Amino acid sequence: MSETQITRIKCVLVGDISVGKTSLRKRLVSETFSDNYLATLGVDFATKKFNIDDQICELQIWDIAGQPNYHSVAERFLRNSDGAILVYDVSNPSSFEHLKGRLSSIQELNVDEEPVFLVVGNKIDLQDPKMGPDEINGYFVREGFDLKEPVQTMYASAKTGENVENVFRAIAKKALKRIS
Ligand code: G3D
Ligand code: MG
């Protein structure tokens, strides 16, 4: 039997404070590894293994708290990530409007190798999303983003757990496809 290869994928959760980034991560994996260094930065780290098309990958999830120094910390992690999950709260329109600024930063920070990204509308237990995935893709196109592929949007609820695992599996799958 051949030795099992594990592909490690670094993924960052980004989005406004209170959209549910930590709740999504905790719903997927409750255990986190947080050393002193990461704790002072307000960063949590968790991993989850996925088997995708007979490939085993370990998704490393970086969850950055919305502290005053958020931007500099987030930049550091965004610079060498393979994937980014852009989270908004479907009951809070401004959290969606702020995603374009975050996507711009991701693109500016990674001019050579852009990470794969996925938009996630969280808190669907509170209300149905106002915008569908095609509408969201159209929005980013109209905003003038130079996109390698259409924007993929998924909806989830960290509260009920609906679609949470699928979201993380989807970003792992996208990153694997980009790497291989
Ligand atoms: P953040 O890490 O993005 O800042 P948190 O967000 O995960 O800390 O969540 C912020 C608040 O939103 C929390 O409420 C949390 O329970 C709630 N929340 C997260 N996800 C969902 C969801 O899917 N549905 C609902 N209804 N609430 C959610 P509190 O009251 O603890 O601040
Ligand atoms: Mg948090």
Side-chain angles (χ1 to χ4, degrees):
M1 243 172 47
S2 66
E3 221 177 272
T4 312
Q5 290 279 337
I6 298 181
T7 310
R8 292 196 166 75
I9 295 166
K10 280 178 264 175
C11 164
V12 189
L13 283 161
V14 294
D16 279 7
I17 192 159
S18 199
V19 293
K21 301 178 297 297
T22 300
S23 303
L24 287 165
R25 193 260 304 150
K26 280 188 176 162
R27 174 57 82 162
L28 185 78
V29 253
S30 47
E31 277 167 65
T32 55
F33 314 87
S34 198
D35 61 25
N36 286 339
Y37 171 69
L38 290 174
T40 31
L41 292 178
V43 178
D44 264 339
F45 171 69
T47 66
K48 169 91 176 174
K49 282 200 178 75
F50 287 104
N51 190 331
I52 293 167
D53 303 330
D54 290 330
Q55 255 185 296
I56 297 172
C57 71
E58 183 189 80
L59 187 66
Q60 305 182 336
I61 302 152
W62 300 90
D63 174 15
I64 301 155
Q67 300 304 315
N69 62 346
Y70 174 83
H71 292 288
S72 60
V73 175
E75 277 182 12
R76 218 176 304 176
F77 284 90
L78 280 173
R79 247 196 204 102
N80 52 57
S81 65
D82 305 302
I85 301 181
L86 299 169
V87 186
Y88 77 99
D89 170 352
V90 295
S91 69
N92 176 356
S94 68
S95 71
F96 177 78
E97 284 153 25
H98 294 155
L99 291 187
K100 64 180 181 191
R102 298 191 189 273
L103 184 54
S104 302
S105 311
I106 291 171
Q107 291 189 324
E108 281 163 23
L109 290 166
N110 300 275
V111 269
D112 302 329
E113 182 94 275
E114 190 178 301
V116 293
F117 71 95
L118 180 67
V119 171
V120 172
N122 185 42
K123 307 199 188 183
I124 54 169
D125 58 288
L126 292 180
Q127 67 176 62
D128 288 335
K130 289 197 175 70
M131 278 179 295
D134 290 346
E135 215 176 321
I136 289 178
N137 179 56
Y139 166 85
F140 284 105
V141 170
R142 275 198 312 281
E143 289 289 331
F145 281 95
D146 179 18
L147 301 162
K148 284 202 175 83
E149 50 187 280
V151 174
Q152 184 185 353
T153 301
M154 293 175 80
Y155 304 92
S157 167
K159 187 175 181 179
T160 66
E162 186 177 350
N163 226 16
V164 172
E165 185 158 340
N166 290 335
V167 160
F168 289 100
R169 179 180 287 279
I171 194 83
K173 191 168 182 168
K174 271 177 175 291
L176 267 185
K177 205 169 141 196
R178 175 74 59 87
I179 291 166
S180 54

